Amino acid sequence: MLSRVVKEHNQKQAAHKDVQERRKREAAIEASKLTYRLMDTLNSGVEKAYVNQRKLETEAKQLQAHVAQYSKQTTLWLKMVESFNQSLKELGDVENWSRVIEADMTSIASALEYAYKGDGPQSTELAS
C-alpha cells in the first residue's frame, strides 16, 4: 500500500512537472512573441525617425543650394543696379556738360552776332 501511494505520488509529481514544463515553454514562447512585437513597434518608430531625418537632410541640402543660387543672383542684381546708377550719374554729368557747352555756345554766338552787326562801342568811336 505504501509503495502504491509513493508510486501515485511520483506519477502525480511527474504529471505536475510536465504541466509546469509545458506552461514554462508556453510562457517563454509568449514572452518571445511579446518581445518581438515590442521591438517591432520600437523599430518602426526608429525607422520612421530615420526616414524623416533623411528627408530633412535632403531638403536642407536643397534649401542650401537654393540659398546659394539666390545669393549669387542677388549679387548679380546688385551689380546691375550699381552699374545702372553709375550710368545715370554719367548721363547727368553729360547733360550738365551739354548745358554748359550750350550756354558757352550761346554766349559766343551772341558775341559774334554783336561783333558782326557792329553795334559795339568801338564802331561808334571809329565813325566819329
Side-chain angles (χ1 to χ4, degrees):
M1 164 118 172
L2 184 59
S3 68
R4 187 173 52 122
V5 172
V6 170
K7 194 174 185 181
E8 285 178 14
H9 175 69
N10 286 339
Q11 287 175 348
K12 285 182 184 178
Q13 277 218 319
H16 185 65
K17 278 186 181 181
D18 289 341
V19 169
Q20 289 290 61
E21 284 295 319
R22 184 176 47 84
R23 287 181 181 166
K24 187 177 179 181
R25 276 185 263 129
E26 288 175 359
I29 290 171
E30 293 301 318
S32 177
K33 287 179 183 178
L34 176 65
T35 303
Y36 177 77
R37 286 182 185 147
L38 288 173
M39 291 302 294
D40 190 42
T41 302
L42 289 175
N43 285 340
S44 173
V46 169
E47 182 182 0
K48 286 179 184 177
Y50 181 75
V51 168
N52 288 340
Q53 180 183 0
R54 282 294 199 204
K55 286 180 182 178
L56 285 174
E57 287 174 357
T58 302
E59 289 178 13
K61 287 178 183 178
Q62 288 175 348
L63 181 62
Q64 190 176 20
H66 286 138
V67 166
Q69 180 184 7
Y70 291 141
S71 177
K72 288 178 184 177
Q73 189 174 15
T74 303
T75 302
L76 288 174
W77 286 349
L78 286 173
K79 287 180 183 178
M80 287 174 57
V81 167
E82 288 175 12
S83 175
F84 181 69
N85 282 340
Q86 185 63 31
S87 297
L88 284 177
K89 286 179 185 178
E90 289 173 4
L91 258 174
D93 291 345
V94 168
E95 183 181 3
N96 187 36
W97 174 78
S98 66
R99 285 183 186 162
V100 169
I101 295 294
E102 183 181 10
D104 288 347
M105 294 303 279
T106 304
S107 176
I108 291 171
S110 294
L112 285 174
E113 186 179 338
Y114 186 70
Y116 179 72
K117 288 183 179 180
D119 294 337
Q122 292 178 348
S123 61
T124 54
E125 290 177 6
L126 291 177
S128 37

